Amino acid sequence: MKNGRFYVGLVGVALVVTYLVWTGISDSMVYYLTPAELLAKVEQDRSFHGVGVKVSGKVVSGSYHKGDEDFVHLFQVHDIEHPDVAFPVVYRNVLPDTFTDDTEVVLEGRYGEDGVFHAKTLLTKCGSRYEAAPADLAGQGTAE
Amino acid sequence: MVTFGALLLVGFAMFLILHPIISGTEAPLESAGEDPSDAQFRKRVSLLQLRDAEYEFAMGKLSEEDYHALRKVVSAEALAAIRAEEAEATLAGGSAELSGDADLEEEIAGVRARLKGGVFCSECGYPNGVESRFCSECGSPLQSPRISPAS
Amino acid sequence: MTALGEFALWIALPIAFWGMVMGFVGGYHKRGELVLSGERSVHVVFILLVLASLGIINAFLTDQFQYWYVAGYSNRDLDTYFKISGLWAGQRGSLVFWAVLVAFFASITVFQNRNRNREFMPYVVGVLQGILGFFLVVLLFAKVNPFEQLGFVPADGQGLNPQLQNYWMTIHPPVLYLGFTAFTIPFAFAMAALLSGRLDSRWIVLTRRWTLLSWFFLTNGVIFGMRWAYEELGWGGYWFWDPVENASLLPWLTATAFLHSVMIQENRGMLKVWNMSLVLLTFLLTIFATFLTRSGLIESVHTFAQNTSIAFIFLVFMGSLFVAAVILIVYRLPALRSENQIESFVSREAAFLLNNLVLLGAAFAILWGTMFPLVSEAFTGQSIAVGPPFFNRVNLPIGLVLLALTGIGPVIAWRRATGRNLTRNFAMPLGVGAAVSIAFISLGVRDGYVLATFGLSAFVLAIVAVEFWKGTQARARIEGEGYATAFIHLVGRNRRRWGGYIVHVGIVLIFTAFAGRAFEVEVRKALNPGETVSVASPFGHVYTLIYEGISSSREQNFDRWVALMTVERNGSPVGSMSTERRFYRVNRQMVTEVGIRSTPMEDLYVILADVEDFDGIVANDPDAQRIVVQVMVNPLVPWIWYGGVIITIGSLIALWPAAEVVRRRRVLAVEEESPEALAGAASA
């Protein structure tokens, strides 16, 4: 068949890539949950304590304090939709610059049996990171 | 001030864009002999392949057998393209003016001339130039057979 | 001026659509006056978009905070060059920026081709104006008008995000955008080829320079982005497989594939449908990159605000383009038949094809991984994320295959490589590669990927070196020139090939630099003035940093606390470096500026992780000087930037027109050689 080799090569590479993608996803996929979903999952299934997950929530205002050692950070994270649902987080690394009270954060780590989320990575998800919200400027008064 | 500028802008734009339609000025729709034809294009490609083959042979990347085999195939393609080009030119009514591939053709001829009468090293196969007495690649003394352009 | 700019945007829209109609109708019905009108509209739209851009920049420079966009990205004390770059700082302005770049390239194309390629041009005009029309529709009707006004005039703007107040911010977006937008031209010509029925390799040859130009900008744009992340995000890394990073990488991968596969179509008349599809795919991916960034579809560190009407418009646009192009390709399938076939798996055609398949495989994998959370949420209701481990796992093997092909491709024979060809050309370089790998094994390196990378890099470099050497030698012999002259003529005669080799050298450097990450070293310590922290470089020496002290000062836009360190290498002082924290007052945001000390083989990278007592320092309290630092040695990272420079040199060589091309315009743009005056016979 004409161009047979072309198709053989195509199929071959496609198979290899599919294999890599398949195993890659199975190996490294993590559930992406809200705090409420995480707590619900843990309630249902105690073994979920050991599973790596990604959690998106908001830092509870005023909850941040440094740990006893350097590089240890402690704070509370609450669910954006259900602000009363919260749990404590411990993070042992350099804090991102944009981390402040009330920022949205994305954590990756484990929710331990001790009821504390041990975060391996911490990203701040600043909704308005690049986008302005000049409506806030309304209170500032006008220029001449 | 702004309104004036805006009106000026619109007027200018309208003039530029509508002028051709009103006056009937046309943009050329055919490239009058500017663009090369398909046959000329194919010929150019074949010549480039020949040129590259000559250089790769001179560099020792191609063995003599591979070189001759490649040359045979590509030369056939080049010839076919040249014939097609001549046919096109005859159809167009003019004489077959060879397109400006003269530079490539001369380059190929030049490479061949230098190689012609040169010698293959019996030790390493490197195609040496006409004047060489010792192989440029491995240093062995050179003897015949000499390189000749095969058919 | 600003008002004029806004007006210009509004009248550009009907003119763009007029141009689109004129181009298509004039081309189809062979009405030259319509085509001329369409071509004129291309220039007019360009001028209008320039006015619109100048209007925006003017608004920034004159602090016109009544404009939503200006208020959101500027403040009175902002440095002037950040005000100017406000044009591309945010979503709205960057759409105008994109459009003006497309219009610029369109205008050049129309001008260049006023007497050439006339069968293509009407359709080229139609396509380009259609695309511009789309962007104008988005700007004016999708609630993203940069000229939107607040209804009142704030006293000051919100200021620019501090992480964007960085030199690279003024360079990275424009260069990347130049890459994205330049690719519109090859796409337009491909569509014109389909529409006009002229489906030989002509459209490829015509657009070769544009493709290379686009690729050149894309590569540099991505590298600048890496530099920016490295300097500004301050974690010692330069790539995070962030969705927006991935989005910019996707068209780069397919453009690289296209750059190579065109050579197969030129030389052997194969892969015509493949090339058409690749152009379409690459162009769609450039639009997708902007779509992903602008619509906030995937959350990421980069993402801009959510705006669903934009998402809808973009999807419709991309979808319609895709459908139209596929219909055209299917319609023209007979004319797109291959003239030859792949004769052997061991040939240059096969190597290039493998290169393409592997690059596309990487693109597919990255796209899949990036979209996976969305897809899984759509199908299972549960959002599932994949992170860097997935992307690394898939792309590391692919990278190795690509690296190997970089060496194999240039040297393996066309059509069918014989055993002779293989041993002749690959024996020595393979030996070099193996030797290098073994050398590193003996140095204690056990990581398979690292060993493979170093070995293959050596393999490729050996091949390129031999190519240059043998080529120069052959030419010197044949033309009777000195070696230096021969080298210059050799490269000058075939810029695409030799420029390409130089680009490959740059790529090799970058891949080697990636392997250096396996040897990163990191140390963390709290320091009081006078105390030291030591970190051992994998190259054997030891850096010692002596913390001198921290001082504070007040700048135009921010307050800063600067920690000064003296650097010693194996005990002897070699200089000093600083790392600092800045508080941008208007944005109320704290930013860390890392300290980087670059030497050719590695970077010494210091992060001011924490300052105990900010106020104490300002008050000059001597007890407030305790800091916490993270010190890293990043081996081989400078080779990324060096590689970028080499790629630039190689690309420029490949792009550079031979002087004679201008004169020999009537021949194809296969402008690699300088013509000699005499005619000669082609075949014996």
Side-chain angles (χ1 to χ4, degrees):
Chain A
M1 136 170 110
K2 196 173 180 199
N3 280 319
R5 289 191 182 81
F6 172 76
Y7 289 112
V8 168
L10 184 68
V11 169
V13 173
L15 283 175
V16 170
V17 171
T18 310
Y19 167 75
L20 283 175
V21 169
W22 188 268
T23 52
I25 289 192
S26 343
D27 281 353
S28 58
M29 66 182 223
V30 283
Y31 283 109
Y32 194 169
L33 306 163
T34 64
E37 288 170 353
L38 174 60
L39 289 174
K41 263 200 146 56
V42 165
E43 281 238 359
Q44 285 176 0
D45 181 5
R46 295 228 50 186
S47 71
F48 212 74
H49 279 296
V51 176
V53 290
K54 210 162 151 181
V55 177
S56 152
K58 239 179 171 188
V59 176
V60 173
S61 298
S63 68
Y64 170 78
H65 56 279
K66 291 189 204 175
D68 297 328
E69 304 164 5
D70 293 315
F71 292 101
V72 176
H73 309 279
L74 305 160
F75 53 93
Q76 300 252 346
V77 155
H78 72 83
D79 193 307
I80 298 173
E81 314 254 317
H82 314 277
D84 42 312
V85 177
F87 49 70
V89 177
V90 60
Y91 175 62
R92 292 182 162 81
N93 213 322
V94 182
L95 270 186
D97 290 334
T98 37
F99 183 92
T100 56
D101 269 349
D102 216 35
T103 34
E104 280 186 53
V105 289
V106 174
L107 307 163
E108 216 172 306
R110 283 172 38 255
Y111 186 68
E113 313 245 332
D114 51 359
V116 175
F117 190 92
H118 298 260
K120 267 185 345 193
T121 69
L122 163 64
L123 281 175
T124 42
K125 197 181 81 164
C126 210
S128 60
R129 186 183 188 89
Y130 291 86
E131 192 58 31
D136 304 344
L137 295 166
Q140 283 184 32
T142 52
E144 296 75 47
Chain B
M1 178 63 194
V2 175
T3 348
F4 177 67
L7 284 170
L8 209 61
L9 202 54
V10 175
F12 182 63
M14 291 292 109
F15 171 72
L16 270 181
I17 292 168
L18 294 174
H19 172 258
I21 299 187
I22 299 170
S23 67
T25 325
E26 294 192 12
L29 286 170
E30 268 155 30
S31 318
E34 287 283 337
D35 292 332
S37 70
D38 293 352
Q40 287 175 332
F41 179 85
R42 273 203 300 279
K43 177 182 147 205
R44 181 92 183 166
V45 168
S46 298
L47 286 181
L48 276 170
Q49 289 182 350
L50 276 175
R51 196 273 309 259
D52 281 347
E54 299 293 339
Y55 264 105
E56 293 195 355
F57 180 48
M59 280 165 66
K61 276 162 72 172
L62 281 180
S63 69
E64 192 188 3
E65 300 101 283
D66 293 339
Y67 162 69
H68 285 304
L70 186 61
R71 236 190 81 179
K72 198 164 145 188
V73 173
V74 178
S75 298
E77 289 172 0
L79 267 162
I82 291 172
R83 290 207 186 93
E85 183 187 22
E86 286 165 354
E88 269 174 10
T90 327
L91 241 90
S95 61
E97 191 224 317
L98 286 173
S99 60
D101 290 322
D103 58 317
L104 258 190
E105 291 160 1
E106 153 137 358
E107 197 181 345
I108 294 172
V111 175
R112 293 223 186 111
R114 294 295 171 113
L115 283 180
K116 181 173 165 175
V119 194
F120 284 112
C121 172
S122 49
E123 290 297 314
C124 71
Y126 187 78
N128 291 279
V130 180
E131 304 85 20
S132 304
R133 305 230 331 273
F134 292 92
C135 174
S136 316
E137 177 96 337
C138 70
S140 329
L142 295 173
Q143 313 115 1
S144 354
R146 314 224 132 228
I147 300 171
S148 58
S151 63
Chain C
M1 180 69 225
T2 313
L4 195 62
E6 177 172 11
F7 179 71
L9 212 56
W10 280 101
I11 57 175
L13 176 59
I15 294 179
F17 278 119
W18 169 268
M20 176 178 86
V21 171
M22 289 295 108
F24 286 132
V25 171
Y28 187 69
H29 290 289
K30 302 258 184 282
R31 302 274 299 277
E33 72 279 9
L34 301 184
V35 172
L36 185 58
S37 179
E39 291 187 326
R40 294 258 179 97
S41 79
V42 170
H43 299 307
V44 169
V45 167
F46 169 54
I47 292 174
L48 291 173
L49 282 168
V50 168
L51 285 174
S53 309
L54 288 176
I56 296 175
I57 293 177
N58 174 261
F60 272 91
L61 287 175
T62 52
D63 290 329
Q64 295 194 40
F65 298 120
Q66 70 270 27
Y67 290 102
W68 189 100
Y69 185 63
V70 179
Y73 290 94
S74 182
N75 60 296
R76 286 186 195 279
D77 288 332
L78 192 65
D79 287 324
T80 307
Y81 49 87
F82 289 133
K83 286 188 182 174
I84 295 176
S85 63
L87 176 60
W88 54 80
Q91 175 189 41
R92 306 180 174 202
S94 57
L95 285 169
V96 173
F97 186 56
W98 185 291
V100 76
L101 288 177
V102 173
F104 172 58
F105 290 135
S107 198
I108 291 181
T109 303
V110 166
F111 179 72
Q112 272 183 336
N113 288 297
R114 57 199 187 286
N115 286 313
R116 288 192 286 163
N117 304 314
R118 297 310 306 168
E119 296 87 351
F120 287 114
M121 287 315 290
Y123 299 114
V124 170
V125 166
V127 170
L128 288 172
Q129 292 299 80
I131 291 170
L132 280 169
F134 161 72
F135 274 94
L136 285 163
V137 164
V138 169
L139 276 164
L140 295 169
F141 297 110
K143 298 187 268 230
V144 286
N145 193 330
F147 294 105
E148 183 187 321
Q149 300 206 23
L150 281 169
F152 61 94
V153 188
D156 199 359
Q158 277 200 326
L160 186 63
N161 186 314
Q163 299 212 307
L164 299 180
Q165 292 189 39
N166 173 290
Y167 166 75
W168 294 105
M169 151 53 187
T170 61
I171 305 268
H172 157 63
V175 172
L176 200 58
Y177 274 34
L178 281 166
F180 288 144
T181 51
F183 205 84
T184 314
I185 307 295
F187 173 71
F189 271 94
M191 293 298 108
L194 285 172
L195 287 166
S196 66
R198 317 214 58 194
L199 288 160
D200 54 14
S201 303
R202 196 178 308 253
W203 71 269
I204 287 187
V205 173
L206 290 175
T207 54
R208 199 194 292 150
R209 276 243 156 64
W210 286 104
T211 306
L212 192 49
L213 190 71
S214 162
W215 184 91
F216 166 64
F217 284 128
L218 277 178
T219 310
N220 271 306
V222 169
I223 293 179
F224 291 162
M226 287 163 63
R227 176 80 200 172
W228 178 19
Y230 185 65
E231 270 188 24
E232 196 56 38
L233 295 182
W235 291 357
Y238 41 79
W239 191 265
F240 304 97
W241 297 112
D242 179 76
V244 168
E245 288 176 334
N246 295 346
S248 71
L249 192 60
L250 292 174
W252 183 87
L253 289 166
T254 55
T256 307
F258 180 62
L259 213 53
H260 290 88
S261 63
V262 293
M263 290 190 227
I264 298 193
Q265 181 167 342
E266 283 177 38
N267 262 294
R268 306 280 286 127
M270 293 174 5
L271 298 182
K272 295 185 185 182
V273 176
W274 179 260
N275 281 321
M276 275 294 173
S277 314
L278 262 184
V279 167
L280 172 67
L281 183 62
T282 307
F283 178 69
L284 284 178
L285 284 172
T286 62
I287 302 288
F288 180 70
T290 226
F291 162 63
L292 197 66
T293 319
R294 305 301 170 217
S295 70
L297 198 59
I298 307 268
E299 305 136 351
S300 83
V301 180
H302 278 78
T303 302
F304 293 59
Q306 319 260 39
N307 184 334
T308 42
S309 54
I310 261 203
F312 180 69
I313 296 185
F314 265 93
L315 273 173
V316 166
F317 179 61
M318 279 166 42
S320 341
L321 266 181
F322 178 74
V323 167
V326 167
I327 290 178
L328 274 173
I329 291 177
V330 169
Y331 173 63
R332 295 288 189 195
L333 223 39
L336 288 169
R337 227 152 252 148
S338 284
E339 296 167 25
N340 292 293
Q341 41 175 318
I342 300 188
E343 295 173 28
S344 160
F345 278 124
V346 189
S347 66
R348 194 170 299 179
E349 295 92 320
F352 274 45
L353 187 61
L354 185 59
N355 153 294
N356 264 236
L357 292 173
V358 158
L359 281 166
L360 275 148
F364 168 73
I366 292 173
L367 181 62
W368 186 240
T370 307
M371 303 299 290
F372 199 68
L374 264 188
V375 171
S376 67
E377 188 162 7
F379 281 100
T380 68
Q382 177 58 63
S383 185
I384 299 181
V386 285
F390 164 77
F391 293 105
N392 288 328
R393 186 199 162 91
V394 172
N395 289 310
L396 274 165
I398 289 180
L400 286 177
V401 172
L402 278 172
L403 195 54
L405 286 172
T406 321
I408 296 174
V411 173
I412 199 169
W414 285 105
R415 303 167 196 254
R416 184 189 311 260
T418 58
R420 286 182 300 263
N421 171 250
L422 292 175
T423 34
R424 202 176 261 253
N425 293 304
F426 291 114
M428 186 277 271
L430 276 173
V432 169
V436 166
S437 294
I438 291 171
F440 276 100
I441 293 179
S442 71
L443 282 173
V445 177
R446 291 287 176 270
D447 183 327
Y449 281 121
V450 172
L451 290 169
T453 306
F454 288 156
L456 284 171
S457 298
F459 165 72
V460 176
L461 290 176
I463 287 191
V464 173
V466 167
E467 281 286 283
F468 272 108
W469 171 246
K470 281 199 181 155
T472 308
Q473 192 182 51
R475 197 186 153 94
R477 208 183 302 282
I478 285 168
E479 303 290 329
E481 295 168 341
Y483 273 59
T485 327
F487 175 75
I488 294 174
H489 285 169
L490 179 77
V491 172
R493 283 276 191 117
N494 199 342
R495 288 164 217 246
R496 194 160 64 130
R497 165 182 273 203
W498 299 100
Y501 285 175
I502 294 174
V503 168
H504 284 177
V505 169
I507 298 279
V508 164
L509 278 185
I510 293 179
F511 273 55
T512 311
F514 290 163
R517 291 203 72 171
F519 302 99
E520 266 171 20
V521 175
E522 185 198 299
V523 166
R524 302 173 182 185
K525 199 163 177 206
L527 295 171
N528 282 303
E531 292 178 2
T532 66
V533 54
S534 292
V535 56
S537 153
F539 291 108
H541 46 265
V542 175
Y543 287 107
T544 310
L545 285 88
I546 308 165
Y547 171 41
E548 303 294 348
I550 187 165
S551 65
S552 73
S553 67
R554 189 181 167 90
E555 309 290 332
Q556 184 176 347
N557 228 351
F558 52 86
D559 300 329
R560 75 203 302 201
W561 289 262
V562 182
L564 193 62
M565 329 227 130
T566 308
V567 181
E568 287 183 357
R569 188 181 185 277
N570 286 340
S572 11
V574 287
S576 64
M577 55 192 300
S578 65
T579 165
E580 61 186 84
R581 287 221 149 195
R582 295 182 183 177
F583 182 68
Y584 283 81
R585 292 186 296 275
V586 173
N587 313 78
R588 306 205 60 75
Q589 215 176 318
M590 186 71 89
V591 169
T592 309
E593 297 287 327
V594 300
I596 305 178
R597 184 176 185 279
S598 286
T599 51
M601 295 300 286
E602 67 197 357
D603 274 351
L604 182 61
Y605 191 96
V606 181
I607 308 169
L608 184 55
D610 200 8
V611 174
E612 285 243 320
D613 188 351
F614 286 99
D615 299 319
I617 294 166
V618 177
N620 281 321
D621 180 349
D623 296 322
Q625 299 264 312
R626 183 176 186 274
I627 60 171
V628 184
V629 290
Q630 185 176 353
V631 182
M632 304 172 66
V633 175
N634 295 324
L636 296 179
V637 167
W639 287 25
I640 298 177
W641 328 124
Y642 300 158
V645 171
I646 292 178
I647 288 177
T648 299
I649 294 173
S651 310
L652 287 175
I653 290 177
L655 274 168
W656 210 265
E660 297 73 12
V661 173
V662 177
R663 171 168 82 72
R664 294 178 63 238
R665 211 184 278 284
R666 55 187 190 80
V667 191
L668 289 168
V670 191
E671 55 277 359
E672 292 145 347
E673 31 288 301
S674 51
E676 258 107 25
L678 310 162
S683 44

